[in-house]
Amino acid sequence: MQTLKILSTSYITHDVKRIVLEKPQGFMYRPGQAALLSAKTPGWEDKKKPFTFTSLMDMPFVEFTIKIYKEHNGVTNELDKLKIGDEIILHGIKETFEYKGPGIFIAGGSGITPFIAIFRALYYSNNMRGVALLYSNHTVQDIIYHDELTMMLGAAYKNVFTRQGVIGFKERRLDRDFLLETLSSFDQRFYVCGPKGFVEDISSALLSLGARDESLIIE
């Protein structure tokens, strides 16, 4: 267990916050791993949840990108109250996603966060070949790190909006029909992350389209 001081905190969408913490000397983690965090405030020290690292090991800080659920009055709401100089408790590291090679990444909402550090590591090592992203959100305003994803993935990055009301965007679901229309092969790896129902539906659709069970990588 370690206590880390907040260096900066800011909203990057209307309900997603970037929190940057000091990096302890010798601290180690891998892209795709998560930390169990809690707020160092009375009554909340032992109430922890896992959040994925979005920073890389060679960065001089530790970064988390967290969706805030203010209506839940839970851990994310408590983390939202913290300011620069306040402290967060890191209770340990857990596995979420491990990069096993090129494939299609499919994310729903804040389910993109486990993929951010993986993409950054691949991009900065010039190893993005064979990697693509299908990303579902309610609206364009909900996209997390849109500009950076565009820079890293280019044409291999596709958005789907379920509630978008802007001309030029096609409202639809990231579902079996979309996968069938969009992908030319299902004989490859698929990384899937998002709300439980989203992951279950996408995994089921992929398997029905010919993806192999051992090629599905989910949390």
Side-chain angles (χ1 to χ4, degrees), residues 87-196:
E87 294 178 319
I88 287 177
I89 302 172
L90 191 153
H91 296 265
I93 294 175
K94 63 170 288 188
E95 298 295 331
T96 52
F97 281 86
E98 179 183 358
Y99 181 68
K100 298 182 178 181
I104 307 297
F105 289 74
I106 304 175
S110 59
I112 190 67
T113 56
F115 301 154
I116 295 296
I118 292 174
F119 291 153
R120 287 173 170 173
L122 294 174
Y123 179 77
Y124 290 116
S125 62
N126 296 311
N127 198 24
M128 293 294 286
R129 184 179 178 86
V131 174
L133 170 64
L134 304 179
Y135 188 14
S136 176
N137 282 285
H138 291 323
T139 73
V140 68
Q141 286 80 21
D142 295 307
I143 302 176
I144 298 170
Y145 295 132
H146 174 68
D147 290 345
E148 186 176 4
L149 291 171
T150 300
M151 175 190 74
M152 293 190 291
L153 289 147
Y157 165 41
K158 296 185 183 300
N159 286 290
V160 178
F161 301 108
T162 59
R163 299 180 188 172
Q164 184 71 14
V166 177
I167 294 174
F169 289 102
K170 188 176 182 181
E171 293 186 19
R172 63 174 305 175
R173 292 181 61 82
L174 205 168
D175 54 14
R176 187 181 189 279
D177 289 342
F178 181 86
L179 294 171
L180 187 59
E181 294 171 15
T182 306
L183 302 176
S184 59
S185 170
F186 294 90
D187 184 21
Q188 56 185 316
R189 294 182 190 87
F190 292 94
Y191 301 81
V192 186
C193 189
K196 182 180 178 181

